Amino acid sequence: MDIGFSEGPGTFNFQPWIASIQYNKELWSLTAELALRKQSLQGSNIPRSFEITGQSWYLQYQRRVNQHWNWLVRYDSLTNNNNDRSGASFEASPDFS
């Protein structure tokens, strides 16, 4: 999927690549997903242009207790910019100080 919005003073583009895998047994399931997300914002009348690649992933375990109850445990991780994982460069930028 490639989404672009060109209305107004800037152009935003978003292109995710997603891989997902799931393993199912009678009483439990294990699911994992990884997404790489390319984003860009360009324009002459916006405070900041950028082109970044981020990633997100999760690992999920589901246990079927009975026909009415499921337990679910999930861990998520999100990095908006792979080149600035801690956000220190973004925080120090003059546009957002």
Side-chain angles (χ1 to χ4, degrees):
M1 173 177 18
D2 189 8
I3 299 173
F5 301 100
S6 59
E7 296 179 15
T11 301
F12 176 74
N13 289 301
F14 178 69
Q15 184 180 35
W17 293 93
I18 302 169
S20 182
I21 188 168
Q22 185 173 59
Y23 184 76
N24 292 304
K25 294 299 271 184
E26 183 178 349
L27 296 177
W28 59 274
S29 297
L30 187 63
T31 307
E33 185 172 284
L34 171 67
L36 296 175
R37 299 171 293 103
K38 293 184 178 187
Q39 305 170 60
S40 67
L41 180 62
Q42 307 293 327
S44 58
N45 196 20
I46 55 175
R48 181 180 196 161
S49 295
F50 63 84
E51 187 170 334
I52 58 174
T53 299
Q55 69 181 27
S56 58
W57 61 272
Y58 73 84
L59 183 63
Q60 176 177 296
Y61 173 78
Q62 183 175 4
R63 172 76 175 169
R64 289 173 278 287
V65 179
N66 59 42
Q67 70 182 53
H68 300 289
W69 287 93
N70 290 320
W71 291 346
L72 182 104
V73 177
R74 179 175 170 140
Y75 182 83
D76 286 89
S77 176
L78 169 67
T79 303
N80 197 44
N81 184 349
N82 288 342
N83 294 325
D84 185 22
R85 290 184 176 274
S86 69
S89 294
F90 178 79
E91 184 179 13
S93 69
D95 294 331
F96 296 98
S97 56

XYZ file of all heavy atoms in Angstrom:
802
model
N 0.841 -1.155 0.000
C 0.000 0.000 0.000
C 0.897 1.231 0.000
O 1.824 1.334 0.773
C -0.896 -0.012 1.240
C -1.681 1.242 1.373
S -2.873 1.405 2.724
C -2.503 0.215 3.902
N 0.620 2.149 -0.847
C 1.334 3.421 -0.916
C 0.294 4.528 -0.877
O -0.543 4.621 -1.755
C 2.164 3.484 -2.200
C 3.102 4.673 -2.230
O 3.214 5.364 -1.204
O 3.720 4.901 -3.272
N 0.337 5.337 0.176
C -0.661 6.389 0.359
C 0.019 7.740 0.257
O 1.035 7.973 0.888
C -1.350 6.266 1.734
C -2.078 4.927 1.843
C -2.322 7.411 1.955
C -2.634 4.653 3.197
N -0.513 8.620 -0.531
C 0.011 9.980 -0.630
C -1.127 10.983 -0.532
O -2.186 10.772 -1.086
N -0.904 12.063 0.209
C -1.876 13.140 0.337
C -1.219 14.410 -0.173
O -0.260 14.877 0.399
C -2.306 13.324 1.798
C -2.914 12.102 2.399
C -2.170 11.280 3.224
C -4.227 11.771 2.127
C -2.732 10.155 3.780
C -4.795 10.644 2.685
C -4.049 9.833 3.505
N -1.736 14.944 -1.240
C -1.094 16.130 -1.812
C -1.974 17.375 -1.701
O -1.767 18.331 -2.415
C -0.742 15.874 -3.278
O -1.904 15.562 -4.011
N -2.965 17.367 -0.812
C -3.798 18.555 -0.618
C -3.085 19.523 0.311
O -2.380 19.130 1.217
C -5.141 18.153 -0.029
C -5.953 17.290 -0.947
C -7.277 16.884 -0.330
O -7.680 17.486 0.676
O -7.888 15.955 -0.853
N -3.267 20.795 0.102
C -2.689 21.788 0.995
C -1.238 22.067 0.702
O -0.736 21.820 -0.382
N -0.504 22.605 1.718
C 0.848 23.107 1.502
C 1.930 22.036 1.421
O 3.035 22.328 1.041
C 1.088 24.004 2.713
C 0.251 23.400 3.775
C -0.963 22.875 3.063
N 1.641 20.785 1.792
C 2.674 19.761 1.808
C 2.186 18.453 1.220
O 1.003 18.270 0.945
N 3.130 17.529 1.036
C 2.815 16.201 0.523
C 3.301 15.167 1.521
O 4.488 15.151 1.869
C 3.494 15.964 -0.839
O 3.040 16.949 -1.751
C 3.170 14.593 -1.382
N 2.404 14.321 2.008
C 2.738 13.250 2.934
C 2.642 11.920 2.204
O 1.648 11.646 1.534
C 1.785 13.251 4.136
C 2.017 12.125 5.081
C 3.107 12.129 5.934
C 1.148 11.042 5.124
C 3.338 11.089 6.803
C 1.363 9.996 5.989
C 2.464 10.017 6.840
N 3.685 11.094 2.318
C 3.689 9.753 1.736
C 3.961 8.742 2.830
O 4.814 8.970 3.696
C 4.750 9.628 0.639
C 4.367 10.404 -0.593
O 3.330 10.155 -1.178
N 5.185 11.378 -0.955
N 3.261 7.621 2.783
C 3.403 6.547 3.759
C 3.381 5.224 3.010
O 2.449 4.948 2.260
C 2.258 6.620 4.767
C 2.268 5.529 5.795
C 3.253 5.495 6.765
C 1.295 4.554 5.791
C 3.259 4.509 7.722
C 1.288 3.558 6.744
C 2.271 3.530 7.717
N 4.438 4.403 3.186
C 4.517 3.119 2.495
C 4.962 2.050 3.498
O 6.145 1.930 3.805
C 5.484 3.183 1.326
C 5.504 1.896 0.530
C 6.467 1.972 -0.626
O 7.513 2.597 -0.524
N 6.115 1.336 -1.716
N 4.010 1.255 4.018
C 4.378 0.187 4.938
C 4.636 -1.137 4.203
O 4.028 -1.417 3.169
C 3.144 0.065 5.832
C 2.008 0.434 4.932
C 2.559 1.471 3.982
N 5.547 -1.920 4.740
C 5.788 -3.297 4.309
C 5.604 -4.156 5.547
O 6.283 -3.950 6.556
C 7.198 -3.465 3.744
C 7.387 -2.719 2.468
C 7.869 -1.457 2.313
C 7.071 -3.183 1.160
N 7.870 -1.102 0.998
C 7.395 -2.155 0.258
C 6.546 -4.371 0.659
C 7.206 -2.273 -1.108
C 6.374 -4.493 -0.711
C 6.704 -3.456 -1.575
N 4.691 -5.122 5.475
C 4.298 -5.888 6.660
C 4.451 -7.380 6.388
O 4.009 -7.890 5.357
C 2.839 -5.580 7.044
C 2.674 -4.083 7.307
C 2.409 -6.397 8.252
C 1.249 -3.626 7.438
N 5.090 -8.071 7.352
C 5.196 -9.533 7.314
C 4.603 -10.074 8.611
O 4.887 -9.570 9.697
C 6.655 -9.967 7.181
N 3.770 -11.088 8.487
C 3.087 -11.642 9.651
C 3.119 -13.164 9.569
O 3.042 -13.739 8.482
C 1.636 -11.149 9.683
O 0.975 -11.625 10.823
N 3.230 -13.798 10.738
C 3.226 -15.263 10.802
C 2.403 -15.681 12.010
O 2.402 -15.003 13.037
C 4.658 -15.828 10.858
C 4.646 -17.334 10.722
C 5.372 -15.390 12.117
C 6.009 -17.941 10.475
N 1.688 -16.804 11.870
C 0.872 -17.297 12.968
C 0.952 -18.814 13.014
O 0.911 -19.483 11.981
C -0.578 -16.858 12.810
C -1.458 -17.224 13.983
C -2.849 -16.617 13.875
O -3.564 -16.877 12.918
N -3.205 -15.795 14.854
N 1.073 -19.354 14.241
C 1.079 -20.800 14.468
C -0.081 -21.120 15.403
O -0.194 -20.533 16.481
C 2.412 -21.240 15.091
C 2.527 -22.724 15.277
C 2.771 -23.552 14.193
C 2.385 -23.293 16.533
C 2.882 -24.929 14.358
C 2.496 -24.660 16.707
C 2.742 -25.468 15.613
O 2.839 -26.824 15.774
N -0.962 -22.040 14.991
C -2.155 -22.379 15.762
C -2.145 -23.836 16.200
O -1.823 -24.727 15.416
C -3.423 -22.140 14.934
C -3.675 -20.698 14.662
O -3.766 -19.906 15.576
N -3.773 -20.345 13.387
N -2.516 -24.044 17.445
C -2.781 -25.381 17.985
C -4.202 -25.351 18.544
O -4.864 -24.324 18.533
C -1.775 -25.743 19.085
C -0.349 -25.896 18.576
C -0.213 -26.993 17.567
C 0.092 -28.322 18.222
N 0.322 -29.404 17.271
N -4.654 -26.469 19.058
C -6.030 -26.551 19.535
C -6.327 -25.546 20.657
O -7.364 -24.891 20.650
C -6.338 -27.966 20.027
C -7.773 -28.160 20.464
C -8.080 -29.581 20.912
O -7.246 -30.485 20.703
O -9.153 -29.767 21.476
N -5.410 -25.410 21.605
C -5.669 -24.569 22.770
C -4.880 -23.267 22.801
O -5.066 -22.459 23.713
C -5.400 -25.356 24.064
C -6.314 -26.553 24.306
C -5.899 -27.294 25.567
C -7.764 -26.114 24.387
N -3.977 -23.043 21.844
C -3.189 -21.813 21.876
C -2.760 -21.391 20.476
O -2.762 -22.190 19.541
C -1.977 -21.947 22.797
C -1.016 -23.045 22.419
C -1.096 -24.361 22.775
C 0.136 -22.922 21.610
N -0.047 -25.063 22.230
C 0.741 -24.192 21.511
C 0.745 -21.865 20.954
C 1.889 -24.436 20.789
C 1.902 -22.111 20.228
C 2.463 -23.378 20.164
N -2.378 -20.112 20.370
C -1.878 -19.536 19.114
C -0.713 -18.610 19.431
O -0.692 -17.954 20.465
C -2.952 -18.711 18.406
O -4.034 -19.504 18.025
N 0.240 -18.569 18.520
C 1.373 -17.663 18.621
C 1.428 -16.855 17.329
O 1.422 -17.419 16.236
C 2.666 -18.447 18.824
C 3.928 -17.650 19.113
C 3.780 -16.886 20.428
C 5.128 -18.576 19.174
N 1.467 -15.529 17.448
C 1.456 -14.636 16.296
C 2.605 -13.638 16.414
O 2.880 -13.139 17.504
C 0.124 -13.853 16.210
O -0.958 -14.771 16.243
C 0.050 -13.021 14.949
N 3.266 -13.356 15.298
C 4.324 -12.347 15.255
C 4.151 -11.521 13.987
O 3.705 -12.030 12.953
C 5.697 -12.991 15.274
N 4.508 -10.239 14.086
C 4.404 -9.350 12.930
C 5.525 -8.326 12.969
O 5.897 -7.852 14.041
C 3.057 -8.641 12.940
C 2.814 -7.781 11.712
C 1.405 -7.245 11.675
O 0.480 -8.024 11.354
O 1.226 -6.056 11.975
N 6.063 -8.018 11.798
C 7.097 -7.000 11.633
C 6.644 -6.056 10.532
O 6.189 -6.503 9.473
C 8.436 -7.639 11.247
C 9.553 -6.688 10.832
C 10.000 -5.850 12.032
C 10.721 -7.459 10.258
N 6.760 -4.749 10.782
C 6.382 -3.743 9.775
C 7.506 -2.730 9.630
O 8.023 -2.209 10.619
C 5.092 -3.041 10.185
N 7.910 -2.470 8.402
C 8.822 -1.375 8.066
C 7.968 -0.287 7.435
O 7.186 -0.554 6.527
C 9.902 -1.834 7.092
C 10.846 -2.892 7.632
C 11.802 -3.349 6.534
C 11.626 -2.364 8.817
N 8.119 0.951 7.918
C 7.240 2.028 7.506
C 8.059 3.202 6.996
O 8.740 3.871 7.767
C 6.378 2.475 8.693
C 5.502 1.366 9.237
C 4.806 1.720 10.541
N 5.760 1.871 11.631
C 6.164 3.025 12.127
N 5.714 4.152 11.658
N 7.037 3.069 13.106
N 7.995 3.435 5.694
C 8.649 4.607 5.099
C 7.660 5.754 5.102
O 6.512 5.597 4.692
C 9.100 4.299 3.671
C 10.194 3.280 3.602
C 10.665 3.092 2.176
C 11.805 2.086 2.150
N 12.399 1.990 0.821
N 8.122 6.928 5.600
C 7.280 8.111 5.678
C 8.064 9.320 5.165
O 9.260 9.418 5.401
C 6.882 8.402 7.123
C 6.214 7.260 7.834
C 6.076 7.568 9.311
O 5.433 8.539 9.680
N 6.687 6.757 10.140
N 7.364 10.219 4.510
C 7.998 11.475 4.112
C 6.960 12.588 4.113
O 5.778 12.353 3.878
C 8.653 11.362 2.729
O 7.685 11.198 1.728
N 7.445 13.779 4.408
C 6.624 14.986 4.364
C 7.469 16.051 3.679
O 8.565 16.371 4.126
C 6.230 15.430 5.772
C 5.373 16.686 5.873
C 4.021 16.488 5.182
C 5.176 17.078 7.332
N 6.975 16.577 2.576
C 7.691 17.577 1.790
C 6.755 18.743 1.513
O 5.563 18.541 1.311
C 8.161 16.989 0.451
C 8.964 15.708 0.556
C 10.305 15.906 1.224
O 10.925 16.945 1.084
N 10.750 14.902 1.974
N 7.308 19.937 1.479
C 6.511 21.106 1.129
C 7.237 22.383 1.472
O 8.153 22.397 2.295
N 6.810 23.466 0.854
C 7.474 24.749 1.084
C 6.829 25.548 2.209
O 7.430 26.491 2.715
C 7.452 25.567 -0.206
O 6.118 25.763 -0.626
N 5.638 25.190 2.627
C 4.920 25.978 3.621
C 4.640 25.166 4.894
O 3.602 25.321 5.518
C 3.605 26.494 3.020
C 3.009 27.604 3.836
O 3.698 28.246 4.618
N 1.719 27.831 3.666
N 5.570 24.282 5.260
C 5.424 23.478 6.474
C 6.658 23.695 7.345
O 7.727 24.033 6.844
C 5.240 21.982 6.149
C 6.374 21.456 5.284
C 3.905 21.721 5.494
C 6.329 19.981 5.010
N 6.546 23.530 8.679
C 7.684 23.819 9.550
C 8.854 22.866 9.390
O 9.992 23.240 9.646
C 7.105 23.726 10.958
C 5.807 23.041 10.826
C 5.353 23.190 9.416
N 8.610 21.647 8.940
C 9.695 20.674 8.873
C 9.393 19.608 7.831
O 8.332 19.006 7.856
C 9.855 20.023 10.239
C 10.945 19.018 10.294
C 11.044 18.406 11.666
N 12.324 17.743 11.764
C 12.886 17.413 12.885
N 12.302 17.679 14.012
N 14.042 16.806 12.891
N 10.336 19.372 6.922
C 10.238 18.268 5.975
C 11.058 17.107 6.515
O 12.047 17.309 7.221
C 10.782 18.671 4.599
O 9.987 19.673 4.021
N 10.639 15.893 6.207
C 11.402 14.732 6.649
C 11.178 13.545 5.720
O 10.201 13.497 4.980
C 11.055 14.340 8.092
C 9.622 13.915 8.293
C 9.209 12.619 8.029
C 8.687 14.818 8.757
C 7.897 12.231 8.223
C 7.372 14.447 8.972
C 6.983 13.141 8.698
N 12.110 12.619 5.769
C 12.004 11.331 5.095
C 12.650 10.323 6.021
O 13.867 10.342 6.216
C 12.696 11.358 3.734
C 12.462 10.088 2.953
C 12.941 10.197 1.511
O 12.989 11.319 0.981
O 13.269 9.148 0.948
N 11.839 9.468 6.629
C 12.330 8.522 7.630
C 11.786 7.128 7.357
O 10.793 6.952 6.655
C 11.934 8.942 9.065
C 10.423 9.067 9.196
C 12.624 10.240 9.462
C 9.937 9.338 10.610
N 12.467 6.141 7.927
C 11.992 4.764 7.928
C 11.955 4.295 9.368
O 12.939 4.418 10.095
C 12.913 3.849 7.101
O 12.933 4.316 5.749
C 12.420 2.412 7.123
N 10.820 3.798 9.776
C 10.652 3.268 11.124
C 10.249 1.808 11.057
O 10.038 1.250 9.982
N 10.146 1.211 12.224
C 9.723 -0.189 12.268
C 8.891 -0.437 13.511
O 8.979 0.289 14.494
C 10.920 -1.133 12.260
C 11.752 -1.097 13.525
C 12.941 -2.034 13.436
O 13.439 -2.320 12.354
N 13.395 -2.512 14.564
N 8.056 -1.443 13.432
C 7.299 -1.888 14.579
C 7.180 -3.408 14.499
O 7.280 -3.985 13.425
C 5.909 -1.236 14.605
O 5.200 -1.538 13.430
N 6.998 -4.025 15.659
C 6.812 -5.466 15.695
C 6.048 -5.838 16.954
O 5.964 -5.065 17.902
C 8.142 -6.220 15.619
C 9.095 -5.941 16.749
C 10.025 -4.940 16.813
C 9.213 -6.662 17.981
N 10.699 -4.989 18.007
C 10.232 -6.045 18.737
C 8.561 -7.759 18.527
C 10.591 -6.496 19.998
C 8.935 -8.213 19.777
C 9.937 -7.590 20.493
N 5.457 -7.019 16.918
C 4.821 -7.544 18.117
C 4.906 -9.063 18.135
O 5.066 -9.712 17.103
C 3.369 -7.077 18.259
C 2.371 -7.707 17.311
C 1.782 -8.937 17.599
C 1.980 -7.053 16.154
C 0.859 -9.505 16.747
C 1.058 -7.603 15.301
C 0.491 -8.835 15.604
O -0.428 -9.385 14.752
N 4.800 -9.607 19.337
C 4.726 -11.040 19.585
C 3.521 -11.251 20.494
O 3.391 -10.566 21.520
C 6.006 -11.538 20.246
C 6.100 -13.035 20.498
C 6.075 -13.805 19.180
C 7.377 -13.346 21.269
N 2.648 -12.165 20.110
C 1.384 -12.337 20.824
C 1.125 -13.821 21.090
O 1.289 -14.650 20.212
C 0.260 -11.750 19.974
C -1.122 -11.921 20.516
C -2.131 -11.236 19.629
O -2.115 -10.030 19.477
N -3.012 -12.014 19.025
N 0.700 -14.132 22.308
C 0.322 -15.492 22.703
C -1.136 -15.462 23.142
O -1.537 -14.618 23.930
C 1.207 -15.980 23.857
C 0.776 -17.301 24.442
C 1.059 -18.494 23.796
C 0.084 -17.350 25.642
C 0.661 -19.705 24.335
C -0.318 -18.560 26.193
C -0.029 -19.733 25.533
O -0.427 -20.931 26.068
N -1.916 -16.382 22.599
C -3.322 -16.483 22.972
C -3.611 -17.899 23.449
O -3.262 -18.878 22.780
C -4.222 -16.139 21.782
C -5.690 -16.147 22.116
C -6.545 -15.688 20.956
O -6.047 -15.426 19.858
N -7.843 -15.591 21.174
N -4.254 -18.007 24.603
C -4.617 -19.306 25.196
C -6.141 -19.397 25.265
O -6.805 -18.506 25.812
C -4.008 -19.406 26.595
C -4.452 -20.578 27.392
C -3.794 -21.836 26.938
N -4.199 -22.903 27.861
C -3.993 -24.155 27.656
N -3.352 -24.546 26.580
N -4.385 -25.044 28.511
N -6.695 -20.447 24.684
C -8.131 -20.668 24.734
C -8.439 -21.504 25.980
O -8.149 -22.686 26.038
C -8.594 -21.361 23.456
C -8.548 -20.431 22.258
C -8.838 -21.105 20.951
N -7.695 -21.788 20.369
C -6.649 -21.175 19.805
N -6.580 -19.864 19.784
N -5.669 -21.872 19.279
N -9.032 -20.864 26.989
C -9.324 -21.517 28.262
C -10.546 -22.416 28.119
O -10.529 -23.576 28.543
C -9.544 -20.465 29.372
C -9.871 -21.126 30.689
C -8.328 -19.569 29.499
N -11.612 -21.877 27.551
C -12.805 -22.653 27.218
C -13.509 -21.925 26.075
O -12.960 -20.986 25.515
C -13.715 -22.849 28.451
C -14.178 -21.544 29.065
O -14.536 -20.606 28.352
N -14.165 -21.475 30.393
N -14.729 -22.323 25.739
C -15.380 -21.712 24.579
C -15.803 -20.264 24.811
O -16.120 -19.549 23.865
C -16.570 -22.552 24.134
C -17.754 -22.521 25.102
C -18.885 -23.417 24.637
O -18.666 -24.590 24.374
N -20.077 -22.861 24.530
N -15.775 -19.793 26.066
C -16.187 -18.428 26.365
C -15.029 -17.518 26.759
O -15.207 -16.296 26.784
C -17.222 -18.417 27.488
C -18.464 -19.190 27.162
N -19.397 -18.767 26.237
C -18.910 -20.387 27.617
C -20.355 -19.648 26.145
N -20.106 -20.644 26.974
N -13.871 -18.069 27.099
C -12.770 -17.263 27.624
C -11.466 -17.532 26.886
O -11.102 -18.680 26.633
C -12.544 -17.561 29.117
C -13.608 -16.977 29.983
C -14.751 -17.602 30.408
C -13.657 -15.658 30.497
N -15.500 -16.747 31.169
C -14.852 -15.551 31.246
C -12.811 -14.566 30.412
C -15.202 -14.378 31.897
C -13.170 -13.404 31.069
C -14.349 -13.320 31.799
N -10.758 -16.433 26.552
C -9.409 -16.486 25.985
C -8.497 -15.600 26.816
O -8.910 -14.533 27.273
C -9.386 -15.958 24.545
C -10.066 -16.868 23.570
O -9.933 -18.075 23.644
N -10.795 -16.284 22.648
N -7.264 -16.008 26.986
C -6.244 -15.157 27.593
C -5.328 -14.690 26.478
O -5.014 -15.436 25.557
C -5.432 -15.920 28.623
C -6.175 -16.281 29.860
C -7.370 -15.800 30.287
C -5.753 -17.226 30.839
N -7.729 -16.377 31.470
C -6.758 -17.258 31.842
C -4.648 -18.043 30.995
C -6.668 -18.066 32.951
C -4.565 -18.854 32.102
C -5.555 -18.863 33.068
N -4.874 -13.459 26.571
C -4.023 -12.903 25.541
C -2.890 -12.125 26.200
O -3.132 -11.321 27.092
C -4.836 -11.954 24.640
C -4.042 -11.348 23.499
C -4.429 -12.052 22.212
C -4.316 -9.882 23.399
N -1.659 -12.406 25.758
C -0.476 -11.667 26.201
C 0.211 -11.157 24.938
O 0.403 -11.913 23.981
C 0.488 -12.572 27.008
C 1.742 -11.821 27.385
C -0.208 -13.128 28.232
N 0.588 -9.867 24.948
C 1.179 -9.272 23.750
C 2.266 -8.287 24.142
O 2.109 -7.522 25.093
C 0.090 -8.549 22.958
C 0.579 -7.877 21.702
C -0.599 -7.303 20.956
N -0.180 -6.462 19.868
C -0.752 -6.436 18.687
N -1.777 -7.193 18.434
N -0.310 -5.632 17.749
N 3.366 -8.295 23.375
C 4.429 -7.310 23.542
C 4.603 -6.575 22.222
O 4.754 -7.205 21.169
C 5.751 -7.978 23.951
C 6.832 -6.956 24.175
C 6.931 -6.282 25.378
C 7.725 -6.638 23.160
C 7.902 -5.319 25.582
C 8.704 -5.674 23.351
C 8.784 -5.026 24.559
O 9.739 -4.069 24.756
N 4.553 -5.240 22.268
C 4.709 -4.389 21.078
C 5.965 -3.547 21.201
O 6.336 -3.142 22.300
C 3.542 -3.396 20.974
C 2.262 -4.031 20.544
O 1.510 -4.487 21.412
O 2.008 -4.026 19.333
N 6.569 -3.239 20.060
C 7.677 -2.297 20.001
C 7.479 -1.405 18.779
O 7.112 -1.887 17.710
C 9.006 -3.046 19.891
O 10.074 -2.139 19.738
N 7.718 -0.084 18.971
C 7.576 0.874 17.878
C 8.770 1.812 17.878
O 9.121 2.389 18.907
C 6.293 1.703 18.046
C 6.150 2.919 17.135
C 5.983 2.494 15.686
C 4.979 3.776 17.567
N 9.419 1.945 16.738
C 10.480 2.924 16.514
C 10.048 3.764 15.328
O 9.898 3.245 14.220
C 11.830 2.230 16.227
O 12.156 1.370 17.312
C 12.929 3.246 16.018
N 9.844 5.051 15.541
C 9.370 5.912 14.469
C 10.463 6.236 13.451
O 10.184 6.397 12.274
C 8.784 7.205 15.038
C 7.930 7.920 14.034
O 7.127 7.309 13.344
N 8.101 9.223 13.936
N 11.730 6.334 13.913
C 12.843 6.646 13.024
C 14.015 5.734 13.388
O 14.594 5.873 14.458
C 13.235 8.120 13.165
C 14.324 8.551 12.214
O 14.954 7.726 11.558
N 14.566 9.836 12.144
N 14.393 4.830 12.501
C 15.481 3.889 12.783
C 16.821 4.582 13.004
O 17.692 4.049 13.682
C 15.620 2.869 11.651
C 14.477 1.877 11.638
O 13.756 1.713 12.611
N 14.297 1.218 10.501
N 17.020 5.772 12.424
C 18.278 6.505 12.590
C 18.309 7.364 13.860
O 19.332 7.974 14.155
C 18.541 7.390 11.368
C 18.791 6.565 10.128
O 19.382 5.493 10.202
N 18.330 7.044 8.995
N 17.196 7.429 14.575
C 17.107 8.203 15.819
C 16.207 7.438 16.792
O 15.156 7.910 17.213
C 16.546 9.604 15.530
C 16.531 10.508 16.754
O 17.298 10.252 17.700
O 15.739 11.461 16.760
N 16.644 6.243 17.166
C 15.809 5.352 17.980
C 15.412 5.955 19.318
O 14.310 5.733 19.804
C 16.511 4.020 18.202
C 16.602 3.200 16.942
C 17.217 1.826 17.224
N 17.216 1.028 16.025
C 16.187 0.282 15.627
N 15.098 0.227 16.344
N 16.266 -0.422 14.524
N 16.286 6.725 19.933
C 15.975 7.307 21.243
C 15.146 8.584 21.129
O 14.573 9.035 22.119
C 17.264 7.614 22.002
O 17.948 8.686 21.377
N 15.101 9.206 19.963
C 14.391 10.466 19.772
C 15.198 11.686 20.170
O 14.698 12.800 20.155
N 16.483 11.499 20.514
C 17.316 12.614 20.978
C 17.514 13.677 19.888
O 17.457 14.875 20.180
C 18.666 12.094 21.456
N 17.754 13.277 18.654
C 17.943 14.256 17.567
C 16.665 15.025 17.292
O 16.682 16.229 17.055
C 18.396 13.560 16.292
O 19.678 13.014 16.458
N 15.545 14.340 17.337
C 14.251 14.998 17.128
C 13.996 16.012 18.250
O 13.568 17.133 18.000
C 13.127 13.964 17.069
C 11.769 14.553 16.897
C 11.337 14.978 15.655
C 10.911 14.694 17.976
C 10.082 15.537 15.488
C 9.654 15.250 17.816
C 9.242 15.667 16.564
N 14.266 15.611 19.478
C 14.045 16.494 20.620
C 14.949 17.725 20.566
O 14.547 18.827 20.966
C 14.298 15.723 21.916
C 13.999 16.499 23.165
C 14.239 15.702 24.429
O 14.860 14.627 24.358
O 13.814 16.168 25.496
N 16.182 17.572 20.081
C 17.135 18.673 20.030
C 16.948 19.597 18.824
O 17.579 20.645 18.755
C 18.555 18.113 20.014
N 16.083 19.223 17.876
C 15.905 20.044 16.679
C 15.306 21.401 17.051
O 14.457 21.502 17.934
C 15.044 19.321 15.660
O 13.723 19.216 16.124
N 15.694 22.470 16.352
C 15.226 23.813 16.698
C 13.731 24.008 16.470
O 13.125 24.851 17.109
C 16.037 24.731 15.792
C 16.543 23.864 14.693
C 16.645 22.478 15.260
N 13.116 23.225 15.570
C 11.692 23.387 15.306
C 10.809 22.928 16.461
O 9.653 23.298 16.551
C 11.287 22.590 14.049
C 11.938 23.136 12.789
O 12.204 24.363 12.772
O 12.168 22.378 11.865
N 11.362 22.082 17.351
C 10.546 21.495 18.410
C 11.145 21.723 19.792
O 10.869 20.992 20.712
C 10.369 20.004 18.159
C 9.599 19.746 16.888
C 10.277 19.436 15.721
C 8.233 19.849 16.870
C 9.574 19.209 14.545
C 7.527 19.635 15.699
C 8.192 19.316 14.534
N 11.967 22.752 19.963
C 12.569 23.002 21.269
C 11.690 23.901 22.127
O 10.764 24.479 21.699
C 13.941 23.631 21.115
O 13.870 24.813 20.348
